[in-house]
Amino acid sequence: MTDQTLGFSSRAIHAGQEPDPTTGAVVPPIYATSTYKQDGIGGLRGGYEYSRSANPTRTALEECLAALEGGERGFAFASGLAAEDTLIRSVLAPGDHVLLPSDAYGGTHRLFDKVARPWGISFDTPPQSDLDRVRAAVRPETRLIWVETPTNPMLGIADIEALATIAHDAGALLVVDNTFASSYLQQPIALGADVVLHSTTKYAGGHSDVVGGALVARQGAKTAAGDDVSERIGFHQNSMGAVAGPFDAWLVLRGLKTLAVRMERHCDNAEKVVDFLLSHPGVSTVHYPGLADHPGHEIAKRQMRRFGGMVSFQLKGGEDVAAKVVAETQLWTLGESLGGVESLIEHPGRMTHASVAGTDLAVPADLVRLSVGIEDADDLIADLRQSLDRLA
Ligand SMILES: *Cc1c(COP(=O)(O)O)cnc(C)c1O
C-alpha cells in the first residue's frame, strides 16, 4: 500500500494501515504500551521490543508519511522542533556550515542561533529567492541548505529544484520544511530534496489538537561523509528519544486521511478571501503566491499543486489599525499556529514575530496573517468585512 502508482488520497488512507491482523480493525489501534512480550529471549513479534525504538501506531504513521512524500523512510517526533533538532544532530557535526532562509520560521532560527551555534554549527541567511546570493554564500564546509517555501509570514517562494542543484554541486544536503504547503500541495523529494520536514501540528494533523513533527528521507540520500541519511536519522531518533507517542501518532494519522480534501477547501477559501481583500479600500497589499503579480508566482505554479491556505496583507492605516482589526473578528480566532480547520488571524509583528523585531527577520508592522480554515467562505469574508469596514 506504499505503492507510488496509487493517488495521493489512496496512499493517505491506506499506506501503513492494513486492517489489524487479529481483529480486522480498519483503523490502526492506539498501542498504549511501552514494552512487548518476547517469545523467548530476542523472540520479537514484528520487531517490536520497546516503544521508544518502535511502536505499531507510530510505525503506521511513519509508513504513511514516507508514502505521501515519496521517500524511503518516515520518522515521527514529539514536535516539529524535535524533528529539526534530531535532523541537525544526525547530519551535522561541529565545524559545519548551513544556509538558512532569511525569513526562517522563528523557532528554526532560534534553534540554530541559540542551540546549534554554541555547539559549533555556523550559518548564513541569504535570501533564497536570489539564487546568486545563495551560491555566493556556499562555503567548502557547507553541509546543509535549509529551505522553507512558502515562507512565514510573507509567503515568499523558493525554487526547490534550483536550490537542490546548488546544494548537490556543493556536496551539501537539501532540507525542505514543507509545513506551509503540506505534502498534498508540494512534493520536495520529487524536486530533488534529500529530507522533508513537517510540523505535523499544522496541516498534517489539521485539527489544532496535537503537536508533532516528521522527517522523511529520500532513498539513497547520503551525508558528505558517505553515511545513509535514513539510517542516521533512525539511529538518532532512537538515541535521542524525542518520538511521537501513540496517541499523538494516531491523531496525525487520522488527520492525514483528509489532507487532500481539506487542502482543496483551504485553497478555495483562501482564493475567495484574497479576492475580497484586493477589493477592500483599507488594504494596501495582499501577499499570496497565487496572485499573478507575486514575485514567486511562476515558480509556485511549477512546484505546487495549488497555492495554499496562508494569506497575509498590509493595511493602509498602519500598525494600530492592523492590531485592532485582528482583535475585532468573531469567526476568525485571534491566535498563533496555523493549518487547522478553524480560521486564525494574527498580528505577526506583535505575536509570532515579536521576538525578531529589530533584526533582519523583522516583518512589516502593518501586516496581518491569516490561516484560512475550511468554514463557509461567505461567513469568513463577512466577518473580515465587518472588522475592516469599521476600522480600516
Ligand atoms: C510550527 C512550525 C515549526 C515548528 O513545529 P512545532 O511543531 O511547533 O515544534 C517549524 N516550521 C514551520 C514552518 C512551522 O510553522
Side-chain angles (χ1 to χ4, degrees):
M1 281 295 182
T2 53
D3 184 351
Q4 289 296 306
T5 63
L6 288 174
F8 184 90
S9 286
S10 303
R11 281 176 275 147
I13 292 165
H14 295 291
Q17 303 167 76
E18 297 295 335
D20 182 68
T22 323
T23 63
V26 169
V27 172
I30 300 169
Y31 284 89
T33 188
S34 60
T35 191
Y36 305 82
K37 174 182 163 58
Q38 303 192 7
D39 299 317
I41 295 172
L44 307 181
R45 300 184 191 178
Y48 292 103
E49 181 176 28
Y50 182 62
S51 279
R52 172 167 32 73
S53 310
N55 171 284
T57 316
R58 198 175 90 223
T59 303
L61 171 59
E62 291 178 333
E63 288 182 4
C64 188
L65 289 163
L68 293 184
E69 290 288 352
E72 178 180 32
R73 272 178 77 183
F75 303 91
F77 296 89
S79 69
L81 285 173
E84 295 186 18
D85 181 37
T86 304
L87 177 64
I88 290 169
R89 290 197 258 177
S90 297
V91 301
L92 296 174
D96 289 348
H97 175 252
V98 175
L99 297 182
L100 285 184
S102 51
D103 48 358
Y105 174 74
T108 302
H109 189 269
R110 181 178 58 200
L111 181 63
F112 274 96
D113 193 38
K114 303 281 197 266
V115 180
R117 191 156 62 169
W119 187 64
I121 306 292
S122 60
F123 65 91
D124 283 300
T125 59
Q128 295 189 330
S129 53
D130 186 339
L131 296 175
D132 289 334
R133 286 183 62 185
V134 174
R135 260 184 227 105
V138 171
R139 297 192 206 155
E141 61 275 19
T142 303
R143 294 285 174 266
L144 197 68
I145 299 183
W146 190 287
V147 175
E148 268 177 54
T149 183
T151 61
N152 176 24
M154 301 304 290
L155 286 321
I157 298 293
D159 185 337
I160 296 173
E161 211 164 4
L163 289 162
T165 303
I166 295 174
H168 295 154
D169 286 351
L173 296 169
L174 189 85
V175 174
V176 176
D177 182 337
N178 207 21
T179 300
F180 262 47
S182 84
S183 315
Y184 177 67
L185 295 179
Q186 183 166 273
Q187 298 265 279
I189 288 176
L191 296 165
D194 299 290
V195 180
V196 177
L197 163 87
H198 284 277
S199 166
T200 54
T201 314
K202 317 293 169 52
Y203 287 109
H207 295 73
S208 307
D209 53 8
V210 63
V211 170
L215 297 173
V216 178
R218 178 173 64 78
Q219 173 107 41
K222 296 260 190 288
T223 67
D227 294 322
D228 186 81
V229 171
S230 285
E231 275 176 29
R232 294 283 298 174
I233 295 170
F235 177 81
H236 283 75
Q237 182 193 39
N238 183 45
S239 301
M240 292 162 60
V243 294
F247 290 87
D248 289 354
W250 188 88
L251 279 171
V252 174
L253 195 57
R254 184 168 70 163
L256 287 176
K257 290 178 201 285
T258 55
L259 182 62
V261 288
R262 282 189 287 111
M263 292 315 297
E264 291 289 350
R265 176 68 170 249
H266 283 295
C267 293
D268 289 346
N269 282 359
E271 287 169 12
K272 289 176 189 162
V273 165
V274 164
D275 283 346
F276 161 71
L277 291 170
L278 287 170
S279 74
H280 198 281
V283 173
S284 59
T285 317
V286 180
H287 303 274
Y288 188 63
L291 292 170
D293 62 355
H294 184 287
H297 178 66
E298 288 307 317
I299 297 166
K301 218 159 88 179
R302 218 168 50 225
Q303 72 188 13
M304 296 177 77
R305 198 194 288 255
R306 293 182 71 182
F307 304 102
M310 298 301 294
V311 176
S312 56
F313 63 97
Q314 291 173 255
L315 286 157
K316 288 184 185 153
E319 177 171 7
D320 287 344
V321 171
K324 280 189 195 132
V325 163
V326 301
E328 291 291 319
T329 52
Q330 310 290 321
L331 190 56
W332 296 80
T333 303
L334 178 62
E336 301 190 357
S337 196
L338 61 114
V341 292
E342 59 289 289
S343 292
L344 299 176
I345 191 166
E346 67 126 354
H347 183 266
R350 294 190 191 170
M351 294 172 62
T352 48
H353 290 66
S355 65
V356 294
T359 73
D360 293 351
L361 299 175
V363 297
D366 58 358
L367 189 76
V368 172
R369 187 188 80 176
L370 304 176
S371 172
V372 183
I374 66 170
E375 301 95 333
D376 293 286
D378 289 348
D379 295 334
L380 293 174
I381 289 168
D383 189 31
L384 279 178
R385 189 194 306 277
Q386 63 77 22
S387 180
L388 285 169
D389 281 357
R390 275 185 301 128
L391 300 163

